[in-house]
Structure formats: C-alpha cells, structure tokens
Amino acid sequence: YPSLSKLLVVSTVGGGSLLAFSDDRPFQTVLNDAGQKPECKKKKVVVLGTGWAATSFLKNLKSDSYEVQVVSPRNYFAFTPLLPSVTSGTVEARSVVEPIRNIVRKRGYQIDFMEAECLKIDASKKILHCKSAQVTNLGGKGEFIMDYDILIIAVGAQVNTFNTPGVSEYAHFLKEVEDAQKLRNTVIDCFERASLPSVSDEERKRILHFVVVGGGPVGVEFAAELHDIVVQDISKLYPSVSNLAKITLLEAGDHILNMYDKRISQFAETKFQRDGIDLKTGSMVTKVSEKDVSTKDRATGQCSTLPYGLVVWSTGIAPRPVILDFMKQIGQGSRRVLATDEWLRVEGCDNVYALGDCATINQRKVMEDISAIFGQAKTNDTGHLNKQEFREVIGDITERYPQVELYLKKSKVKNMVALLDNYEGEIDIEKFEKALSEVDTQMKNLPATAQVAAQQGEYLAKCFNRMEKCEMYPEGPRRFRTSGQHRFHPFRYKHFGQFAPLGGEQTAAQLPGDWVSIGHSTQWLWYSVYASKLVSWRTRMLVVSDWFRRYTFGRDTSRI
Ligand code: FAD
C-alpha cells in the first residue's frame, strides 16, 4: 500500500467537521465539489474528556443545536468513588465503568467520539493538536489536528507528586481504573511472595508492609479497604503470613480527613488505631526509593526510613501538562490552576470553557470587584456607613454577584445580614470587611470533587440548551435585561454532603447543615446513595451483585 502512514482520514460529519491523520504534517482543509470550504451550519463543540464533568455535560445537552465531538484517551466513564473498592476486589473494575458511546446513545443523539489525547490547545487559531490512542493501527505518530467553534475542557487533573524524588518510579497511584487493577494485583502479589519458603523473615515483614501516603479521603478509604481484605479474606487464605501484614498511613498535617468535621476526623483516627493501622501524622515523605520510604517529622525534624512492600501515593492533584501549556499561552502561567469566571468561561479566551478538576472559578476576581464596589461606597466617609448606604452596597453586590447572597446567608457570615436587619445606627466598616473576607475564604475553596464536576457539567449543558433561544431573542426575559449582565445566572454549587468509608462496614457522612452521621447505619446510606448515583442500570446491577458476591463468598484473591 502506498505510504500508509501519510493516509489522510477525513470525516465531514455535519458538513464542517475536519479531521486528518498524518505522520508529520498538519491536516489540510478539505474543500467541497465547488472548491469551497464546506459551510458549517451547526456550531462545532469539542469536549475534551469523558470523566464526571464531560459526561454530565453530554448527558444534559440537547445536541440538536450543536455538532459535538468528544476527544478522550478513555472511551468510558469511570465511577471514581468506587475505585478504592476495586483495589480490594470488593467490586470488579468492569462494574464501575460505562462506555461513553452507550451513555450518549441513550440520550438519543449522535456524537462523534475519538479515542485520543489532546496534546496542545491553540486558542488563538481555535485548533487542537491530538494524538490517537490507536497509533499502531494507523502508522506514523498518530497525531492529528482538529478545529472547534466552542471548546469544553474537562480533562481532570493528575496526581501531585510535589516533585518528591522516587514517587513516579516506585509509588502506586489511585487515580484511574488501571491504577486500581494494578493495586489489586500487587497486594495479592505481596502475599504470594511473602509465602515463599526462600524469603527471610525480615524480607517477609518488608514485603507485607503497606504504606499509604496522604490522609485525605482516598488514602483513608484505601487503607480501610486494605485492612478489610487482610482481616476478612487474607487471614483465611494466607494464615502463615497474614499476621505479619502491617498498614502505615502517613499524613503531613496534624489530622487525617482534615477537610471533614472534627468528629469524623477523630472517629477515623480512633478507629484506625483500634484496627492496628499505624497512623503517623505530622510526617512528611521526603523520598521514595525501591525498598523504603524516607520521612521527616514536621515537629521534631527527625528523619526515618520505613522499609515497604507497597507504597500508595495519594496526596492531591495537580494540572495536567496540556493545561499548564495552555495556561502559559493565555497569560495564566503564574497561576496554579486554570481560572474561569463564574460562567465557567476561561479567562482570556473566547468560546473556551473549563470545568471539573482541571479548573477553578476565579473567586478572587469576584472579590476584587466586590471590594471595588465597596471601596467606592466608603470614599468620603469616616469609616462608618449608615444603614441606607450599607443596604445600597449590599444590593449592588448581590445584584451583580447573585452567588454572594448565598454565601452571606451561610452561618459564618450571617451576622452581616443580621447587621443589616437589626442595626439601627451606623454600620462598622471593619466588621463588614471582616465578614467579606470570610465570604472570600468560603468562595475560593470549591472542592475538587465529582459532585462539583457533575454540577458544572449539568449547569453548562443547560446554558448551552438555552443559548440558541437567547441569541434568537436577545432581549431575553425581563430579569436578564439589565445592561452589562450576563444572560445566565452564574454557576452555583449545591453541597449535598460527603462520605468517608472507614472499613468494617462503617462509614462517616457529613451532610448539609453540618449534620454528622457515623457507623453501620451510615454504611447502608452509603450503599444506597452510591448505587443510585451509578451511571446506568447495567453498572448498578453489576455493583450490587458484586457487593452481594463479596458478602456471600468473600473477595476473589486470584492474581490475574
Ligand atoms: P475526571 O473524572 O478525572 O475525567 C477527566 C477525563 O479527561 C478522563 O476521561 C480522561 O481520560 C480525560 N483526559 C485526560 N487527559 C486528557 C487529554 N489530554 N485530552 C483529552 N482528554 C483527556 N469525588 C467525590 O465527589 N466523591 C467521592 O467519593 C470521590 N471519590 C474518589 C475516589 C478516587 C479514587 C478518586 C481518584 C477520586 C475521587 N473523587 C471523588 C474525585 C472525583 O473523581 C474527581 O473530582 C472527578 O473525577 C473530577 O471530574 P473531572 O471530569 O474533572 O475529571
């Protein structure tokens, strides 16, 4: 076949979609029979990713108005909250994933999916440089370029190693389905190796020492799952070595689960100590080598080394290289995360949206604007606002930033609203500013969770569904007509609470209104919430039958 590697594959779905594979040249625009560029009637929306944010967007989008192309190296959606259960075999890997084509087919519309990774976003030319995951079949480097009218970036994040030496080489991660499968096999591998007669006692102890770095929800849940499998299954199947197994959890802060209510954090610490999990708080990992982890105590500065058989690194997330590169291009190089406004539009770009773990809403900018409004109001006065002036400032702020109202009503700053309602004299500016800074703290810490990503995807899809109508009737409904206002409400996050499974059929839950529930009954709540949140009836049935299988026959410890 003549030069297969230079084969140009062109798809003109919807009349305007262009895609070509070439070994080294960018693709060329394909002209129609009349020698012109095909006219694109629908706007071409390219979605990067098939995770929580992207899938939620696709599930809620009425695609008729758009030509949608999805690009992701994974052709499936993964239900990440159940990944720790995959590491122990409580749930099978295939039970927590759903093909993305299945998800969108059920919505009754056609989207194009390309199993490829976006390597570079060129927002000035509105093109994407991508690399196919199927390079071997195509020959060449498998690279191609595609254009877009609107880009939705939902590529998630990668594990943050904090450049700690040896982490990338020797530590395991728990971020993707493959990581969970690898961990499951490696745990069993450790027990098989430790059972060999040729292994010395000291080596056996090392092999069966499991070190988890990071006391956040993922690290804690993995440690709990590991403890469960050792106590409930390994002890029966590897009786000669199971008592040598040791789990150590290293956390640099003073407490594990420090983003949860104190009661949950304390309960988890006490439970882990009771279970024999060695909890070392205030302990920073400085280096990971082939067989040991070096740590430094934050308080005393004392250094020590822990020989290990398996080390799992779970200390948070960092932007992916493609995002870092994009941030540099658009003048956000000095930021740690890609910034969007409250409508999820990337600052400094046209028609580019970013959602989920790869971006954060730039609340700082909102707060600067609020301060500016406030600053204007307080010029020419002596440090106090009368009630009328204060009411005007608050009115101005909440009209421009409706989400601020939501935060003002939250417990920490409700005094400010109370001030407005009850105060008969003048308003103390200092108190007001203090309250504003509390609003600031609350607003900038939107957590990197599936809950946030899914809500953002749904919000953006709903905006897109109404976009056409808004363009057709620019006057819009009365409430949006005020000049200078965006036609949609900004994104508002609704927190529905969070779970922390702690093993032994016990879970902690922090529900809205700071309501805390811990124990076996909460584990049942966890089962029902997660079963209901699964993306399809197929995965729901698979996961529930996995739970039932585990309960009846125990976990499968085959190393496949
Ligand atoms: P992801 O879901 O990570 O999706 C990113 C997508 O982008 C993937 O499809 C990926 O293949 C694709 N992609 C990556 N690079 C590229 C590229 N260059 N080009 C194109 N596509 C690309 N959150 C909760 O709220 N509750 C929980 O209980 C919970 N448990 C968790 C347990 C674990 C083990 C983990 C790892 C996370 C957990 N989270 C939980 C966090 C949650 O999974 C994330 O916040 C969520 O996945 C973020 O969604 P996202 O769409 O931004 O990214």
Side-chain angles (χ1 to χ4, degrees):
Y1 296 99
S3 184
L4 191 63
S5 68
K6 287 200 168 68
L7 182 69
L8 194 69
V9 182
V10 180
S11 144
T12 51
V13 182
S17 159
L18 298 160
L19 152 74
F21 290 97
S22 154
D23 61 348
D24 50 11
R25 288 170 302 140
F27 86 109
Q28 293 136 21
T29 299
V30 177
L31 307 178
N32 63 18
D33 293 343
Q36 294 153 340
K37 196 178 167 187
E39 197 189 327
C40 181
K41 290 190 192 88
K42 291 182 182 178
K43 280 202 173 133
K44 178 171 165 184
V45 178
V46 176
V47 181
L48 296 181
T50 47
W52 278 95
T55 305
S56 166
F57 174 80
L58 294 170
K59 278 176 75 178
N60 288 285
L61 184 72
K62 293 191 180 85
S63 146
D64 294 4
S65 325
Y66 304 98
E67 179 207 328
V68 184
Q69 292 201 331
V70 182
V71 177
S72 173
R74 274 180 2 199
N75 75 347
Y76 58 83
F77 164 79
F79 192 83
T80 47
L82 287 180
L83 287 185
S85 305
V86 173
T87 62
S88 62
T90 305
V91 167
E92 292 296 328
R94 287 217 169 248
S95 307
V96 301
V97 301
E98 183 71 21
I100 193 72
R101 291 172 195 272
N102 238 359
I103 295 175
V104 293
R105 187 182 57 84
K106 285 183 192 145
R107 305 300 305 160
Y109 60 77
Q110 172 74 36
I111 63 150
D112 281 343
F113 172 76
M114 276 168 243
E115 198 182 54
E117 187 184 349
C118 174
L119 301 178
K120 189 177 171 70
I121 300 165
D122 189 339
S124 59
K125 294 186 188 146
K126 287 196 161 189
I127 54 170
L128 305 169
H129 296 253
C130 304
K131 189 171 175 16
S132 164
Q134 306 287 354
V135 189
T136 45
N137 295 346
L138 293 162
K141 290 182 205 157
E143 289 181 3
F144 62 93
I145 294 176
M146 62 189 296
D147 60 347
Y148 65 83
D149 296 316
I150 301 173
L151 177 65
I152 294 170
I153 308 174
V155 297
Q158 64 181 21
V159 175
N160 196 347
T161 64
F162 298 99
N163 292 327
T164 312
V167 174
S168 311
E169 291 91 330
Y170 304 112
H172 284 251
F173 301 126
L174 181 46
K175 188 82 184 70
E176 311 288 342
V177 179
E178 296 85 343
D179 297 334
Q181 283 175 305
K182 208 167 139 203
L183 270 171
R184 181 178 177 183
N185 276 335
T186 313
V187 169
I188 302 303
D189 204 23
C190 287
F191 282 97
E192 290 298 350
R193 269 194 296 145
S195 305
L196 294 173
S198 52
V199 175
S200 69
D201 282 350
E202 201 184 332
E203 181 68 353
R204 201 165 276 140
K205 269 192 189 161
R206 181 190 69 78
I207 293 171
L208 294 181
H209 187 197
F210 302 98
V211 178
V212 183
V213 186
V218 175
V220 165
E221 195 178 342
F222 173 73
E225 281 282 347
L226 191 57
H227 178 261
D228 277 359
I229 189 177
V230 171
V231 172
Q232 295 165 5
D233 304 275
I234 298 282
S235 57
K236 292 179 206 149
L237 302 171
Y238 301 83
S240 58
V241 294
S242 65
N243 59 338
L244 295 177
K246 184 180 170 194
I247 303 168
T248 300
L249 179 59
L250 302 173
E251 162 59 43
D254 293 336
H255 296 282
I256 58 169
L257 297 179
N258 55 17
M259 65 294 289
Y260 287 73
D261 188 281
K262 259 191 198 145
R263 286 167 284 176
I264 293 182
S265 168
Q266 272 166 10
F267 180 87
E269 286 174 6
T270 316
K271 181 176 185 306
F272 275 12
Q273 273 154 12
R274 218 176 34 230
D275 288 346
I277 295 175
D278 190 7
L279 185 60
K280 291 190 196 303
T281 51
S283 184
M284 280 170 60
V285 172
T286 51
K287 189 180 157 195
V288 178
S289 45
E290 199 183 346
K291 291 185 178 170
D292 43 49
V293 174
S294 309
T295 64
K296 186 175 176 186
D297 191 280
R298 259 191 336 132
T300 60
Q302 198 185 338
C303 297
S304 45
T305 51
L306 301 170
Y308 73 85
L310 167 74
V311 62
V312 179
W313 189 269
S314 171
T315 57
I317 53 172
R320 293 188 187 276
V322 63
I323 298 296
L324 288 173
D325 173 74
F326 179 52
M327 286 165 66
K328 271 187 209 145
Q329 281 178 55
I330 59 170
Q332 290 196 21
S334 58
R335 293 188 59 94
R336 279 190 303 146
V337 193
L338 181 63
T340 69
D341 64 14
E342 307 119 283
W343 291 271
L344 310 181
R345 298 173 300 185
V346 173
E347 286 179 357
C349 282
D350 277 344
N351 290 319
V352 182
Y353 298 80
L355 42 159
D357 284 2
C358 69
T360 186
I361 298 175
N362 191 357
Q363 305 285 10
R364 168 106 6 232
K365 167 114 183 3
V366 177
M367 291 312 297
E368 277 166 16
D369 290 355
I370 291 173
S371 300
I373 300 172
F374 180 61
Q376 281 166 15
K378 77 172 181 182
T379 35
N380 305 329
D381 76 42
T382 54
H384 283 77
L385 296 174
N386 66 33
K387 195 167 176 175
Q388 182 54 31
E389 285 167 331
F390 182 77
R391 199 182 282 280
E392 276 166 21
V393 172
I394 294 283
D396 202 356
I397 291 171
T398 49
E399 191 184 325
R400 276 178 61 177
Y401 304 103
Q403 77 276 41
V404 170
E405 205 177 352
L406 190 84
Y407 287 97
L408 292 180
K409 283 183 185 152
K410 283 197 170 177
S411 55
K412 269 192 176 172
V413 287
K414 68 179 175 222
N415 289 346
M416 198 156 107
V417 179
L419 271 179
L420 182 63
D421 290 338
N422 305 324
Y423 200 83
E424 285 306 322
E426 291 176 319
I427 304 298
D428 188 326
I429 288 181
E430 258 183 46
K431 272 192 192 164
F432 178 50
E433 277 182 335
K434 196 165 162 257
L436 263 187
S437 77
E438 281 175 17
V439 179
D440 183 19
T441 319
Q442 285 194 41
M443 288 177 70
K444 70 177 181 232
N445 292 334
L446 210 52
T449 62
Q451 232 182 113
V452 172
Q455 286 182 29
Q456 290 184 334
E458 186 180 347
Y459 162 83
L460 196 62
K462 286 183 175 163
C463 291
F464 272 51
N465 293 341
R466 298 209 331 254
M467 200 97 81
E468 212 177 30
K469 216 171 186 177
C470 287
E471 274 163 20
M472 236 185 284
Y473 307 103
E475 278 291 289
R478 191 179 291 274
R479 66 181 184 282
F480 297 133
R481 267 187 226 163
T482 332
S483 66
Q485 286 234 340
H486 193 279
R487 59 194 153 188
F488 302 120
H489 282 300
F491 169 71
R492 291 183 193 186
Y493 171 60
K494 289 190 202 83
H495 187 59
F496 293 113
Q498 53 193 350
F499 287 104
L502 302 171
E505 296 290 308
Q506 295 199 58
T507 287
Q510 189 171 335
L511 301 164
D514 280 345
W515 194 64
V516 168
S517 163
I518 307 173
H520 296 283
S521 53
T522 319
Q523 177 77 27
W524 286 99
L525 183 66
W526 182 88
Y527 281 135
S528 29
V529 169
Y530 278 21
S532 71
K533 290 281 169 206
L534 278 155
V535 75
S536 66
W537 278 104
R538 188 190 68 85
T539 48
R540 208 164 286 143
M541 285 189 66
L542 286 173
V543 166
V544 172
S545 65
D546 282 348
W547 285 336
F548 186 69
R549 171 189 50 76
R550 201 276 303 160
Y551 184 75
T552 317
F553 305 108
R555 295 173 182 85
D556 177 356
T557 56
S558 331
R559 186 170 66 81
I560 301 172

Coordinates of all heavy atoms in Angstrom, one line a residue, residues 49-53 71-74 80-81 83-84 117-118 154-156 174-175 218 320 322 356-357 448-451 453 530, ligand 1:
G49 N -12.4 15.0 27.2 CA -12.6 14.2 28.4 C -13.9 13.4 28.4 O -14.8 13.8 27.8
T50 N -13.9 12.3 29.2 CA -15.1 11.5 29.4 C -15.3 11.2 30.9 O -15.7 10.2 31.3 CB -15.0 10.2 28.6 OG1 -13.7 9.6 28.9 CG2 -15.2 10.4 27.1
G51 N -14.8 12.2 31.7 CA -14.9 12.0 33.2 C -16.3 12.6 33.7 O -17.2 12.7 32.9
W52 N -16.3 12.9 34.9 CA -17.5 13.4 35.6 C -18.1 14.6 34.9 O -19.3 14.7 34.7 CB -17.2 13.7 37.1 CG -17.2 12.5 37.9 CD1 -16.2 11.7 38.3 CD2 -18.4 11.9 38.5 NE1 -16.6 10.6 39.0 CE2 -18.0 10.7 39.2 CE3 -19.8 12.2 38.5 CZ2 -18.9 9.9 39.9 CZ3 -20.7 11.3 39.2 CH2 -20.2 10.2 39.8
A53 N -17.2 15.6 34.7 CA -17.7 16.9 34.2 C -18.2 16.7 32.7 O -19.3 17.1 32.4 CB -16.6 17.9 34.2
V71 N -13.3 14.1 22.6 CA -11.9 13.5 22.5 C -11.4 13.1 23.9 O -11.4 14.0 24.8 CB -10.9 14.6 21.9 CG1 -9.5 14.1 21.8 CG2 -11.4 15.0 20.5
S72 N -11.0 11.9 24.0 CA -10.5 11.4 25.3 C -9.7 10.2 25.1 O -10.1 9.3 24.3 CB -11.7 11.2 26.3 OG -11.2 10.6 27.5
P73 N -8.7 10.0 25.9 CA -7.9 8.7 25.8 C -8.7 7.5 26.4 O -8.3 6.4 26.2 CB -6.6 9.0 26.6 CG -6.9 10.1 27.4 CD -8.0 10.9 26.8
R74 N -9.8 7.8 27.1 CA -10.6 6.7 27.7 C -11.9 6.7 27.0 O -12.6 7.7 26.9 CB -10.9 7.1 29.1 CG -9.8 6.6 30.1 CD -10.1 6.9 31.5 NE -11.3 7.6 31.9 CZ -11.5 8.2 33.1 NH1 -10.5 8.3 33.9 NH2 -12.6 8.7 33.4
T80 N -15.4 7.0 39.8 CA -14.2 7.1 40.7 C -14.5 6.8 42.2 O -13.6 6.2 42.8 CB -13.5 8.4 40.6 OG1 -14.5 9.4 40.6 CG2 -12.8 8.5 39.3
P81 N -15.6 7.2 42.8 CA -15.8 6.9 44.2 C -15.7 5.4 44.5 O -15.4 5.0 45.7 CB -17.2 7.4 44.5 CG -17.4 8.5 43.5 CD -16.7 8.0 42.3
L83 N -13.5 3.3 43.1 CA -12.2 2.8 42.8 C -11.5 2.1 44.0 O -10.8 1.1 43.8 CB -11.2 3.9 42.2 CG -11.6 4.3 40.7 CD1 -10.5 5.3 40.2 CD2 -11.6 3.1 39.8
P84 N -11.5 2.7 45.2 CA -10.9 2.0 46.3 C -11.5 0.6 46.5 O -10.7 -0.3 46.9 CB -11.2 2.9 47.5 CG -11.4 4.3 46.9 CD -12.0 4.1 45.6
E117 N -5.7 11.7 22.8 CA -5.4 12.6 23.9 C -5.1 14.0 23.3 O -4.4 14.1 22.2 CB -4.1 12.1 24.6 CG -3.7 12.8 25.8 CD -2.4 12.3 26.3 OE1 -1.9 11.2 25.9 OE2 -1.8 12.9 27.2
C118 N -5.6 15.0 23.9 CA -5.2 16.3 23.4 C -3.9 16.7 23.9 O -3.6 16.7 25.1 CB -6.3 17.4 23.8 SG -5.8 19.0 23.4
A154 N -12.5 19.4 29.9 CA -12.8 18.7 31.1 C -11.9 17.5 31.3 O -12.3 16.4 31.4 CB -14.3 18.2 31.0
V155 N -10.6 17.8 31.3 CA -9.6 16.8 31.3 C -9.1 16.3 32.7 O -8.2 15.5 32.8 CB -8.3 17.2 30.5 CG1 -8.6 17.4 29.0 CG2 -7.6 18.4 31.1
G156 N -9.8 16.8 33.7 CA -9.4 16.4 35.1 C -8.0 16.8 35.4 O -7.5 17.8 34.9
L174 N -3.7 6.0 42.8 CA -5.1 5.5 42.8 C -5.9 6.6 42.2 O -6.6 7.4 42.9 CB -5.6 5.2 44.2 CG -7.0 4.6 44.3 CD1 -7.3 3.6 43.3 CD2 -7.3 4.0 45.7
K175 N -5.8 6.7 40.8 CA -6.5 7.8 40.1 C -7.4 7.2 39.0 O -8.5 7.7 38.8 CB -5.4 8.7 39.6 CG -5.9 10.0 39.0 CD -6.1 11.1 40.0 CE -6.7 12.4 39.4 NZ -8.1 12.2 39.0
V218 N -9.2 9.6 49.8 CA -8.8 8.5 49.0 C -7.8 7.6 49.8 O -8.0 6.4 49.8 CB -8.3 8.9 47.6 CG1 -7.7 7.7 46.9 CG2 -9.3 9.7 46.8
R320 N -2.7 18.9 34.5 CA -2.0 18.1 33.5 C -1.1 19.0 32.6 O -1.4 20.2 32.5 CB -3.1 17.4 32.6 CG -3.9 16.4 33.3 CD -4.8 15.7 32.3 NE -5.7 14.8 33.0 CZ -5.5 13.6 33.5 NH1 -4.3 13.0 33.3 NH2 -6.4 12.8 34.0
V322 N -1.0 19.5 29.5 CA -1.7 20.2 28.4 C -2.3 21.5 29.0 O -2.4 22.5 28.3 CB -2.7 19.3 27.7 CG1 -3.8 18.8 28.6 CG2 -3.3 19.9 26.5
G356 N -14.7 21.1 36.1 CA -14.2 19.9 36.8 C -12.8 20.2 37.5 O -12.5 21.4 37.7
D357 N -12.1 19.1 37.7 CA -10.8 19.3 38.4 C -9.7 20.1 37.7 O -8.7 20.5 38.3 CB -10.2 17.9 38.7 CG -10.9 17.1 39.8 OD1 -11.9 17.7 40.3 OD2 -10.5 16.0 40.1
A448 N -12.3 19.9 44.8 CA -12.1 19.2 43.5 C -12.8 17.8 43.7 O -12.2 16.8 44.0 CB -10.7 19.0 43.2
T449 N -14.1 17.8 43.5 CA -14.8 16.5 43.7 C -15.7 16.2 42.5 O -16.0 17.1 41.7 CB -15.7 16.6 45.0 OG1 -16.7 17.6 44.8 CG2 -15.0 16.8 46.2
A450 N -16.2 15.0 42.5 CA -17.1 14.6 41.4 C -18.4 15.4 41.5 O -19.0 15.7 40.5 CB -17.4 13.1 41.6
Q451 N -18.8 15.7 42.7 CA -20.0 16.5 42.9 C -20.0 17.8 42.2 O -20.9 18.2 41.5 CB -20.2 16.7 44.4 CG -21.5 16.3 44.9 CD -21.6 16.6 46.4 OE1 -22.4 17.5 46.8 NE2 -20.9 15.9 47.2
A453 N -17.8 18.7 39.8 CA -17.6 18.5 38.3 C -19.0 18.2 37.7 O -19.3 18.7 36.6 CB -16.6 17.3 38.1
Y530 N -24.7 5.5 46.7 CA -23.8 5.2 45.5 C -24.4 4.3 44.5 O -24.2 4.5 43.3 CB -22.4 4.6 46.1 CG -21.5 5.7 46.5 CD1 -22.0 7.0 46.9 CD2 -20.1 5.5 46.6 CE1 -21.2 8.0 47.3 CE2 -19.3 6.6 47.0 CZ -19.8 7.8 47.3 OH -19.0 8.8 47.7
Ligands
FAD1 P1 -12.0 13.1 35.5 O1 -13.3 12.4 36.0 O2 -10.7 12.7 36.0 O3 -12.1 13.0 33.9 C1 -11.0 13.5 33.1 C2 -11.2 13.0 31.7 O4 -10.3 13.6 30.8 C3 -10.9 11.5 31.6 O5 -11.9 10.9 30.8 C4 -9.6 11.5 31.0 O6 -9.3 10.3 30.2 C5 -9.7 12.7 30.1 N1 -8.4 13.2 29.7 C6 -7.2 13.3 30.4 N2 -6.3 13.9 29.7 C7 -6.8 14.2 28.5 C8 -6.3 14.9 27.4 N3 -5.1 15.3 27.3 N4 -7.1 15.1 26.3 C9 -8.4 14.6 26.4 N5 -8.9 14.0 27.4 C10 -8.1 13.8 28.5 N6 -15.3 12.8 44.4 C11 -16.4 12.8 45.1 O7 -17.2 13.8 45.0 N7 -16.8 11.8 45.9 C12 -16.0 10.7 46.0 O8 -16.4 9.8 46.7 C13 -14.8 10.6 45.3 N8 -14.0 9.6 45.4 C14 -12.9 9.5 44.6 C15 -12.1 8.4 44.7 C16 -10.9 8.3 43.9 C17 -10.1 7.0 44.0 C18 -10.6 9.3 43.1 C19 -9.3 9.3 42.2 C20 -11.3 10.5 43.0 C21 -12.5 10.6 43.8 N9 -13.3 11.7 43.8 C22 -14.5 11.7 44.5 C23 -12.9 12.9 43.0 C24 -13.5 12.8 41.6 O9 -13.3 11.6 41.0 C25 -13.0 14.0 40.7 O10 -13.2 15.2 41.4 C26 -13.7 13.9 39.4 O11 -13.3 12.8 38.7 C27 -13.3 15.2 38.6 O12 -14.0 15.1 37.4 P2 -13.4 15.6 36.0 O13 -14.4 15.4 35.0 O14 -12.8 17.0 36.2 O15 -12.1 14.7 35.8

